[in-house]
Amino acid sequence: MNQQAFIATAIISAALTSGAVFALPSPLQQLLQTHACPGCDLRDVDLRGYNLAGANLHSANLEGANLQNTNLLLTNLGGANLRNANLTAAYLERANLEQADLSGADLSRAVLRHSRAQGANFSNSNLTGADIRYGDLRRANLSGATFEQANMQWVRLKNATLSQTNFSDAYRPRMPYRLNLY
């Protein structure tokens, strides 16, 4: 055994026998350092204004999290729990929100252009003034959601649940308006 390996082994052995504990990074530290924390428990975390573009948060628990003004461009939030999260003015362009639970979330003034939210749950969410152009909300649950003054141009809504959904003053192109049920 060479001298460096012997010294390293001795240090590790001394640390283990002395009861030293090696702390693993918290889920928040892991996310901020690596931009990846799939399945992490980040309930009620305050990430207001952070740049998390391209992060992998697949199946993460972000219930009640504050993501106001957060850059979530191209972020993978598929299957994530975002119930009652604050996503006011969050930038979610091209984000993956497939099968995510956003029930009761505040997405007012959020940018969701080209986002994929197939099968997501937006029930009772606030999307007032949101920019959802070219978004994919097929099979999404939009029951009781508010889309007042939202830009819904070319949004895909095929098989979406629309009971008691508020689309008042949602942006309509100059052509005769119709829901894009394709």
Side-chain angles (χ1 to χ4, degrees):
M1 184 183 292
N2 69 25
Q3 186 177 6
Q4 290 175 337
F6 177 77
I7 292 171
T9 304
I11 291 171
I12 292 170
S13 296
L16 292 175
T17 57
S18 69
V21 178
F22 294 100
L24 295 174
S26 72
L28 179 57
Q29 289 171 327
Q30 178 183 338
L31 173 62
L32 297 177
Q33 291 170 358
T34 67
H35 268 59
C37 203
C40 284
D41 186 356
L42 296 163
R43 278 176 288 186
D44 300 314
V45 70
D46 188 355
L47 291 167
R48 181 180 19 190
Y50 276 85
N51 181 3
L52 298 175
N56 181 4
L57 288 163
H58 188 273
S59 298
N61 185 359
L62 291 152
E63 184 172 358
N66 187 351
L67 298 160
Q68 183 178 357
N69 294 309
T70 300
N71 182 0
L72 297 162
L73 171 73
L74 294 167
T75 298
N76 182 0
L77 291 159
N81 175 6
L82 291 150
R83 281 190 304 255
N84 301 311
N86 181 357
L87 291 145
T88 304
Y91 190 73
L92 291 147
E93 185 163 355
R94 298 185 187 278
N96 174 13
L97 295 164
E98 293 176 0
Q99 303 299 321
D101 185 354
L102 294 123
S103 56
D106 187 352
L107 291 132
S108 55
R109 299 185 329 276
V111 175
L112 294 140
R113 282 188 304 260
H114 298 280
S115 61
R116 295 182 326 274
Q118 296 174 9
N121 182 3
F122 288 91
S123 62
N124 301 308
S125 293
N126 179 9
L127 290 110
T128 301
D131 182 355
I132 313 167
R133 286 178 287 170
Y134 306 101
D136 191 346
L137 299 175
R138 289 178 292 173
R139 298 181 316 279
N141 180 358
L142 308 177
S143 299
T146 300
F147 289 87
E148 287 184 36
Q149 300 174 355
N151 188 337
M152 302 284 294
Q153 187 176 20
W154 299 110
V155 172
R156 299 176 84 180
L157 294 167
K158 185 174 185 176
N159 296 322
T161 304
L162 302 172
S163 64
Q164 299 180 347
T165 305
N166 181 354
F167 289 108
S168 65
D169 295 324
Y171 175 75
R172 297 172 181 167
R174 289 186 183 170
M175 299 183 307
Y177 180 71
R178 66 169 194 231
L179 294 178
N180 298 311
L181 301 174
Y182 58 93

